Amino acid sequence: MKILIVDDERMICEWLQFCIGQNPECQLTGCAHNGEQALALFQENEPDVVFTDIKMPVMGGLELLKRIKEISPETVVVLLTAFAEFDLAREAIRQGGDDYLLKTEMNNQSC
């Protein structure tokens, strides 16, 4: 399974990279720090799963989600956020997001 990580927080990217590296069935295809970079990596590497932050500079995760689903509706997109705002979760679902995780709830058992 090919995975793309998108987050403007370096520590979140590093932790997710570590988790992905623990699973031999997963392959990291890249790490981007905004949606624009991520879209380029997505088109180049065609990952199966994208973990993306919602609030980022240049292009946010909701816009990235929309663009990915237009290109590849079968790609699983998991939105990450530090904000427990119901409106963000609802919009993520409306745009076709497959899951919504709070960064504060991610832990070693999530790996």
Side-chain angles (χ1 to χ4, degrees), residues 6-10 12-13 32-36 38 51-65 77-89 91-92 100-103:
V6 189
D7 201 303
D8 58 336
E9 294 181 53
R10 183 181 55 82
I12 297 294
C13 288
H33 300 291
N34 65 59
E36 190 174 278
F51 287 95
T52 182
D53 190 8
I54 289 182
K55 294 188 177 185
M56 297 179 291
V58 185
M59 179 194 302
L62 292 175
E63 178 64 21
L64 176 62
L65 166 64
V77 180
V78 178
L79 291 120
L80 309 172
T81 187
F83 305 98
E85 296 177 25
F86 179 72
D87 289 342
L88 289 175
E91 186 60 26
Y100 179 94
L101 299 173
L102 290 174
K103 291 178 183 179

Side-chain angles (χ1 to χ4, degrees), residues 6-20:
V6 189
D7 201 303
D8 58 336
E9 294 181 53
R10 183 181 55 82
M11 296 292 286
I12 297 294
C13 288
E14 289 175 0
W15 187 79
L16 287 170
Q17 287 174 3
F18 171 78
C19 289
I20 291 166

Side-chain angles (χ1 to χ4, degrees), residues 39-105:
L39 191 57
L41 285 172
F42 178 82
Q43 291 172 324
E44 182 180 321
N45 298 309
E46 301 176 355
D48 304 300
V49 178
V50 177
F51 287 95
T52 182
D53 190 8
I54 289 182
K55 294 188 177 185
M56 297 179 291
V58 185
M59 179 194 302
L62 292 175
E63 178 64 21
L64 176 62
L65 166 64
K66 180 180 174 184
R67 305 272 292 273
I68 287 172
K69 290 295 185 173
E70 287 172 355
I71 297 167
S72 178
E74 69 280 358
T75 300
V76 174
V77 180
V78 178
L79 291 120
L80 309 172
T81 187
F83 305 98
E85 296 177 25
F86 179 72
D87 289 342
L88 289 175
R90 182 175 50 209
E91 186 60 26
I93 291 167
R94 283 184 184 155
Q95 295 290 336
D98 296 285
D99 207 344
Y100 179 94
L101 299 173
L102 290 174
K103 291 178 183 179
T104 56
E105 295 177 352

